[in-house]
């Protein structure tokens, strides 16, 4: 009887990812697995081999006559607008017409019978250009007088000059924070199939189907209703498929309409890495005043970012860096400014955390500086600076922190990880060990949840209940392995009180749910779960009204039980009840909608409530370094993370684990390097080192704060989990810093730049030993 009165796959329970078996058996279908119609063509990009130049002409005669080539696309072939800027700044052409802006910039596309033929032909172009001086990084761009790619932001609260004047201690510093490649398993890909009139269907790997739809329509010069974008699943995204897929979708669609044949474009990994943007790298200058207990009195910081040649999403990314420059700490007086610098590199873009991690790293560097200056344990400095009650609860953007649980979270992790005892043991070990040195750090994170562009905080869903009781679910979010479809289906199953297996999750398509927002900003479950619930509640409302009228009972006497519907004293199976509703002509389909309430943001004044709520977490990591080689190992990590009342604990744990490893990789091994000609040399797995299984912490304890519940009315009181745990990897970076500092008896802040590669660790050890 117990099994009869429960459903399989309700919310707040562990549920296997809906495609997990397909993933591990290789039977999951991705864009490249779609059967190709007869006559399918293949496109490939021809790119520049200089970083900055005036483009005089491109001789494509050898390309056009190469074996298998059908034709070539250039800027002249764009029927509509030659711009794919996601923010509409008209600074990102499909193909350039007069200037080359970075090494590897796509200049044209070859369309051929086979991908290999297109790839080989793309190398035959003769580009006539006049090379110009280039600026590859923030320093060079500032020295050359390069402009900002978008307007800077300033956040200010209090009186910074007075705060510094009153502070008994003050220090200044700089930290360079490297970028990161997305390194998704499935690369960029688009597959376009032409239709009649203006119609074209584009299958692609994108986090933002509506943007792909709009960009294709924009470039083709047709209305959006002529373009359909379909996404069944992605093999990873991490932000790299939020705007960077625009080019590939547009090229495939242009070619498909020009030659009236299906066209696929799939760059190899090298071109994928050189032609698409990365996480923004930052140079942060900070000035902090503090008292003898380490309590911060005033902060002034400037965040200069390498944005690349166009604006892309650099405005909101650098904004969010400022939004998180406080992390979990209250700054009584604060002034933060951004400098989104143009550079002659690929245009940087969204990446998990969207600028937030860079802001948090800067905050933790200031805490570390203060700890070394005062001789205190960094954890004690963190605690004394945590947000608190009234008077210590206002962010630099003037949003009060009303759901603050960071103190409890950190206290629980400190005890569970035995931080104090282990730190004392490590200090003792370092005193007696000449070569190997250890470090430990416990770092917190407070991360704001919502798109800072308020209009993106909306979602739609479409739910059909068929006459046999089966259910089809479609929503505007995209599945990239994170389990979004599983969570939203659990919400629908729970609302109808039916088994999860009754629900069919269909591909994301602009034909069913229009005007969707990107699956980004950790908002996928929040937005789409609520939209799906809204659709279900509409259908249930009709079903309750039908049952109340047919059986002559009050609406409150109609109850949905596990796989049953109780109407008064009668109990029907869900299937038979739905069949009767269908026969009575009850509408069994609904389009749901949701918009996040109570958020607003005035960028001009730097004030508002850009975030609906905050997610919190803490990580304690221990490392061991070899002072002769700089090599190191993460020996243990303990994590306690806040996901509110989890929709699916096992999926959320997986997200926390993956985010931590990805964040650790960003700060330790993943180094982007350009040569003096502006070419990205770390453009393949052979030269760009992501974490391996062997790099994981030898002991890895991950727990969710099961006592947490979102105070805001989110989907089932859960919290976002995609981005916040990424910043837990900072604990490894800080632990490495302690290990390095031990060679100078912890009297000097090592000031490691990120990523803290073994080379940088070794050089930092040498500097401290030399007394520099």
């Amino acid at each position: 009887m117990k099994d009869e009165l429960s459903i399989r796959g309700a919310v707040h329970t562990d549920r296997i990812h809906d495609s997990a078996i397909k993933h591990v058996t290789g039977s999951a279908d991705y864009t490249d697995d779609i059967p190709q119609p007869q006559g399918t063509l293949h496109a490939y990009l021809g790119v520049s081999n200089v970083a900055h130049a005036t483009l005089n002409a491109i001789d494509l005669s050898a390309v056009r006559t190469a074996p298998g080539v059908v034709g070539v696309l250039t800027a002249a072939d764009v029927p509509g607008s030659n711009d794919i800027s996601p923010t509409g700044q008209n600074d990102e052409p499909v193909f350039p017409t007069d200037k080359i802006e970075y090494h590897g910039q796509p200049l044209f596309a070859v369309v051929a019978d086979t991908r290999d033929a297109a790839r080989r032909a793309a190398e035959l172009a003769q580009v006539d250009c006049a090379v110009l001086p280039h600026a590859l990084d923030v320093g060079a761009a500032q020295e050359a007088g390069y402009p900002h790619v978008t307007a800077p932001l300033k956040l200010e609260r209090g009186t910074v000059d007075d705060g510094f004047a009153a502070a008994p201690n003050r220090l200044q510093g700089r930290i360079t924070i490297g970028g990161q490649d997305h390194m998704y398993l499935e690369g960029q890909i688009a597959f376009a199939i032409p239709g009649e009139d203006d119609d074209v269907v584009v299958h692609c790997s994108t986090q933002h189907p509506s943007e792909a739809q709009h960009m294709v329509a924009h470039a083709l010069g047709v209305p959006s209703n002529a373009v359909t974008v379909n996404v069944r699943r992605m093999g990873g995204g991490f932000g790299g498929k939020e705007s960077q897929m625009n080019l590939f979708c547009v090229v495939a669609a242009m070619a498909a309409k020009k030659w009236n044949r299906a066209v696929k474009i799939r760059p190899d990994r090298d071109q994928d890495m050189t032609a698409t943007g990365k996480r923004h790298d930052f140079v942060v200058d900070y000035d902090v005043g503090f008292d003898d207990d380490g309590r911060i009195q005033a902060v002034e910081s400037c965040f200069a970012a390498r944005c690349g040649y166009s604006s892309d999403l650099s405005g909101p990314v650098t904004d969010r860096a400022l939004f998180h420059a406080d992390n979990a700490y209250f700054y009584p007086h604060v002034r933060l400014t951004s400098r989104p610098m143009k550079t002659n590199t690929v245009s940087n873009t969204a990446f998990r955390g969207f600028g937030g991690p860079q802001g948090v790293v800067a905050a933790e560097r200031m805490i570390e500086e203060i700890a070394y200056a005062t001789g205190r344990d960094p954890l004690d400095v963190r605690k004394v600076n945590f947000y608190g009650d009234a008077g210590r609860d206002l962010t630099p953007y003037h949003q009060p922190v009303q759901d603050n649980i960071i103190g409890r979270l950190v206290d629980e992790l400190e005890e569970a990880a035995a931080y104090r005892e282990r730190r004392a043991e490590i200090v003792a070990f370092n005193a007696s060990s000449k070569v190997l040195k250890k470090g430990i750090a416990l770092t917190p994170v407070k991360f704001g949840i919502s798109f800072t562009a308020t209009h993106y905080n909306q979602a739609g869903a479409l739910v059909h209940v068929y006459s046999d009781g089966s259910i089809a679910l479609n929503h505007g979010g995209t599945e990239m392995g994170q389990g979004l479809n599983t969570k939203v289906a659990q919400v629908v199953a729970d609302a109808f009180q039916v088994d999860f297996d009754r629900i069919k999750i269909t591909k994301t398509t602009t034909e069913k749910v229009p005007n969707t927002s990107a699956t980004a900003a950790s908002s996928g479950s929040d937005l789409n779960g609520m939209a799906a619930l809204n659709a279900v509640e509409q259908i249930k409302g009709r079903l309750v009204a039908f049952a109340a009228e047919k059986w002559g009972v009050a609406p409150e006497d109609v109850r949905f039980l596990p796989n049953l519907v109780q109407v008064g004293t009668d109990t029907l199976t869900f299937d038979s009840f739905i069949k009767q509703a269908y026969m009575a002509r009850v509408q069994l389909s609904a389009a749901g909608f949701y918009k996040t309430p109570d958020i607003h943001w005035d960028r001009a004044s730097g004030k508002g409530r850009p975030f609906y709520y905050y997610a919190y977490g803490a990580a304690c990591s221990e490392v061991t370094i070899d002072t002769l080689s700089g090599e190191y190992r993460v020996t243990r990590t303990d994590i306690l993370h806040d996901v509110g009342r989890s929709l699916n604990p096992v999926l959320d744990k997986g997200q926390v684990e993956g985010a931590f490893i990805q964040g650790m990789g960003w700060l330790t091994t993943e180094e982007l390097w350009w040569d003096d000609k502006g070419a990205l040399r770390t453009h393949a797995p052979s030269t760009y080192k992501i974490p391996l299984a062997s790099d994981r912490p030898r002991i890895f304890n991950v727990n969710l704060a099961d006592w947490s519940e979102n105070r805001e009315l989110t989907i089932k009181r859960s919290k976002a989990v995609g981005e916040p745990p990424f910043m837990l990897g900072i604990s490894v970076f800080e632990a490495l810093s302690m290990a390095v500092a031990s060679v100078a008896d912890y009297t000097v802040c090592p000031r490691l730049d990120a990523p803290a590669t073994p080379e940088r660790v070794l050089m930092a050890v040498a500097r401290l030993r030399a007394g520099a």
Side-chain angles (χ1 to χ4, degrees):
M1 185 66 180
K2 182 178 180 181
D3 289 339
E4 294 175 2
L5 295 178
S6 63
I7 66 172
R8 296 186 297 275
V11 293
H12 308 313
T13 60
D14 291 344
R15 173 78 193 184
I16 188 174
H17 190 292
D18 73 287
S19 297
I21 294 174
K22 297 184 183 73
H23 288 160
V24 298
T25 59
S27 61
D29 286 336
Y30 294 86
T31 300
D32 206 27
D33 298 313
I34 298 172
Q36 297 174 188
Q38 186 173 359
T40 294
L41 301 175
H42 298 265
Y44 206 81
L45 299 175
V47 302
S48 70
N49 60 6
V50 296
H52 194 202
T54 299
L55 180 58
N56 298 321
I58 307 177
D59 182 357
L60 297 171
S61 55
V63 178
R64 297 182 194 276
T65 58
V69 171
V70 174
V72 179
L73 295 175
T74 67
D77 297 296
V78 181
S81 174
N82 185 29
D83 179 62
I84 49 173
S85 168
T87 54
Q89 293 200 33
N90 199 34
D91 62 353
E92 191 170 342
V94 179
F95 299 120
T97 56
D98 57 358
K99 184 174 285 189
I100 293 171
E101 298 273 23
Y102 70 94
H103 197 294
Q105 181 174 9
L107 304 179
F108 61 91
V110 184
V111 181
D113 292 333
T114 67
R115 180 174 176 272
D116 184 63
R119 188 171 184 267
R120 291 177 184 276
E123 300 295 322
L124 303 178
Q126 298 295 315
V127 179
D128 177 14
C129 62
V131 176
L132 300 171
H134 58 258
L136 301 179
D137 56 30
V138 165
Q142 291 175 337
E143 187 175 325
Y146 273 36
H148 297 128
V149 296
T150 188
L153 174 67
K154 182 171 74 170
L155 302 180
E156 190 166 11
R157 199 198 64 250
T159 308
V160 173
D161 292 341
D162 290 347
F164 280 128
N169 305 291
R170 185 173 179 178
L171 58 83
Q172 296 85 31
R174 166 178 285 192
I175 180 171
T176 298
I177 305 167
Q180 184 178 24
D181 189 85
H182 301 86
M183 196 55 73
Y184 23 63
L185 285 175
E186 176 203 32
Q188 299 280 356
I189 184 170
F191 182 28
I193 302 173
E196 61 183 14
D197 302 323
D198 292 332
D199 292 355
V200 62
V201 176
V202 182
H203 301 271
C204 60
S205 187
T206 177
Q207 297 171 236
H208 201 172
S210 287
E211 180 168 297
Q213 175 193 34
H214 297 156
M215 289 300 169
V216 169
H218 194 56
L220 293 181
V222 301
S224 291
N225 62 13
V227 181
T228 298
V229 173
N230 296 327
V231 183
R232 173 60 185 95
R233 59 170 62 84
M234 287 169 277
F238 310 117
K241 296 174 180 177
E242 183 172 345
S243 65
Q244 296 286 296
M245 78 292 158
N246 292 346
L247 172 67
F248 303 96
C249 292
V250 165
V251 167
M254 282 171 49
K257 295 303 288 184
K258 183 177 178 68
W259 284 283
N260 199 32
R261 291 165 69 176
V263 176
K264 181 187 290 188
I265 180 169
R266 175 173 60 83
D268 61 20
R269 179 64 68 176
D270 297 78
Q271 190 173 88
D272 192 307
M273 291 183 72
T274 57
T276 63
K278 323 296 177 195
R279 180 185 296 281
H280 292 69
D281 44 332
F282 277 71
V283 175
V284 183
D285 292 296
Y286 53 89
D287 190 348
V288 56
F290 53 97
D291 65 20
D292 293 337
D293 292 326
R295 185 177 284 105
I296 292 172
Q297 304 296 310
V299 169
E300 182 165 20
S301 293
C302 177
F303 288 73
R306 170 168 29 197
C307 297
Y309 83 100
S310 68
S311 58
D312 192 78
L313 297 171
S314 292
V317 166
T318 51
D319 285 2
R320 189 174 278 259
L322 299 195
F323 288 137
H324 292 84
D326 58 336
N327 192 18
Y329 312 118
F330 174 69
Y331 301 156
H333 304 277
V334 58
R335 183 187 298 128
L336 309 170
T337 54
S338 68
R339 292 202 66 185
M341 297 301 303
K342 175 172 180 170
T343 53
N344 294 121
T345 53
V346 63
S347 193
N348 284 329
T349 189
F351 201 126
R352 195 177 197 169
F354 206 77
Q358 294 94 317
V360 175
V361 167
E364 293 305 323
R365 167 53 55 85
M366 288 191 294
I367 292 292
E368 182 183 50
E369 289 264 30
I370 294 168
Y372 285 108
T374 59
R376 294 168 59 85
D377 184 329
L379 181 57
D380 292 330
V381 178
R382 291 184 170 98
K383 285 185 169 185
V384 80
N385 283 293
F386 280 161
Y387 278 100
D389 298 329
R392 290 186 58 84
D393 63 347
L394 202 61
T395 65
Y397 43 95
H398 297 258
Q399 176 172 338
V401 181
Q402 298 172 319
D403 58 352
N404 187 8
I405 60 170
I406 194 62
R408 177 179 176 180
L409 204 73
V410 167
D411 286 346
E412 289 190 7
L413 182 63
E414 178 185 346
E415 181 177 356
Y419 170 81
R420 301 289 179 179
E421 298 89 334
R422 289 166 58 203
R423 181 178 171 85
E425 293 170 359
I426 286 170
V427 170
F429 173 87
N430 289 342
S432 60
S433 176
K434 293 184 178 180
V435 175
L436 299 181
K437 300 290 184 180
K438 294 183 178 182
I440 189 171
L442 195 161
T443 61
V445 62
K446 171 184 70 69
F447 194 80
I449 304 299
S450 288
F451 286 98
T452 50
T454 304
H455 66 279
Y456 273 150
N457 294 288
Q458 60 175 301
L462 184 63
V463 175
H464 300 318
V465 181
Y466 292 95
S467 60
D468 64 352
S470 61
I471 299 169
L473 165 65
N474 191 274
H475 58 83
T478 54
E479 176 61 54
M480 61 193 93
Q482 81 278 41
L484 173 62
N485 283 345
T486 304
K487 285 184 173 182
V488 178
Q490 284 180 277
V491 169
V492 172
D494 189 76
F496 275 125
Q497 283 292 289
V498 297
D499 291 336
F500 181 94
D501 296 337
R502 186 184 293 267
I503 299 167
K504 173 69 173 178
I505 308 168
T506 58
K507 67 179 179 292
T508 306
T509 174
T510 55
E511 280 188 317
K512 290 187 177 181
V513 179
N515 307 318
T516 60
S517 297
T519 304
S522 304
S523 63
S525 297
D526 281 5
L527 295 177
N528 296 288
M530 290 293 265
L533 181 61
N534 176 256
V536 173
E537 293 300 337
Q538 291 179 51
I539 298 170
K540 286 177 66 178
R542 298 180 200 133
L543 291 172
V544 168
F546 152 70
E549 180 181 359
K550 179 176 175 64
W551 275 271
V553 299
E556 55 267 26
D557 292 327
V558 181
R559 299 174 57 214
F560 286 79
L561 303 176
N563 297 303
L564 302 169
V565 179
Q566 186 179 63
V567 185
T569 57
D570 294 340
T571 302
L572 299 83
T573 65
F574 185 80
D575 292 357
S576 63
F577 177 72
I578 292 298
K579 183 67 174 180
Q580 292 193 47
Y582 164 74
M583 297 301 293
R585 297 183 295 179
V586 175
Q587 183 184 0
L588 298 175
S589 177
F593 181 76
Y594 174 75
K595 61 179 180 179
T596 309
D598 303 325
I599 53 174
H600 55 91
W601 169 241
D602 182 353
R603 192 176 189 272
S605 66
K607 297 180 180 180
R609 187 192 179 190
F611 304 122
Y612 191 34
Y613 64 87
Y614 296 100
Y616 299 86
C620 179
S621 291
E622 180 181 331
V623 301
T624 302
I625 70 170
D626 184 332
T627 58
L628 299 181
S629 66
E631 294 183 350
Y632 48 80
R633 174 173 291 177
V634 184
T635 51
R636 176 175 170 179
T637 293
D638 297 82
I639 291 172
L640 182 60
H641 197 73
D642 162 40
V643 295
R645 195 170 177 214
S646 176
L647 291 173
N648 187 321
V650 71
L651 288 187
D652 284 348
K653 274 193 175 183
Q655 284 291 289
V656 173
E657 292 166 355
F660 171 83
I661 295 297
Q662 191 175 42
M664 180 186 78
W666 166 51
L667 293 170
T668 57
T669 64
E670 298 185 44
E671 185 174 26
L672 295 166
W673 188 76
W674 285 262
D675 65 20
D676 58 1
K677 294 182 179 179
L680 178 68
R681 302 306 297 269
T682 49
H683 53 76
S686 59
T687 52
Y688 183 80
K689 189 183 186 309
I690 63 172
L692 306 175
S694 57
D695 294 317
R696 76 194 187 286
R698 292 304 188 267
I699 300 173
F700 197 17
N701 302 315
V702 177
N703 290 290
L704 305 179
D706 55 12
W707 42 264
S708 177
E709 183 172 287
N710 202 331
R711 70 188 295 273
E712 302 295 346
L713 187 58
T714 54
I715 187 68
K716 303 296 179 179
R717 300 290 182 175
S718 64
K719 286 188 178 184
V721 70
E723 293 172 301
F726 180 91
M727 280 141 284
L728 299 176
I730 296 172
S731 60
V732 174
F733 187 63
E734 294 293 307
L736 287 170
S737 185
M738 177 189 171
V740 172
S742 69
V743 305
D745 199 24
Y746 315 102
T747 57
V748 181
C749 179
R751 292 193 171 184
L752 283 172
D753 286 330
T757 58
E759 294 88 345
R760 283 202 173 101
V761 168
L762 183 61
M763 289 187 288
V765 168
R767 284 198 308 272
L768 294 193
R769 281 183 167 161

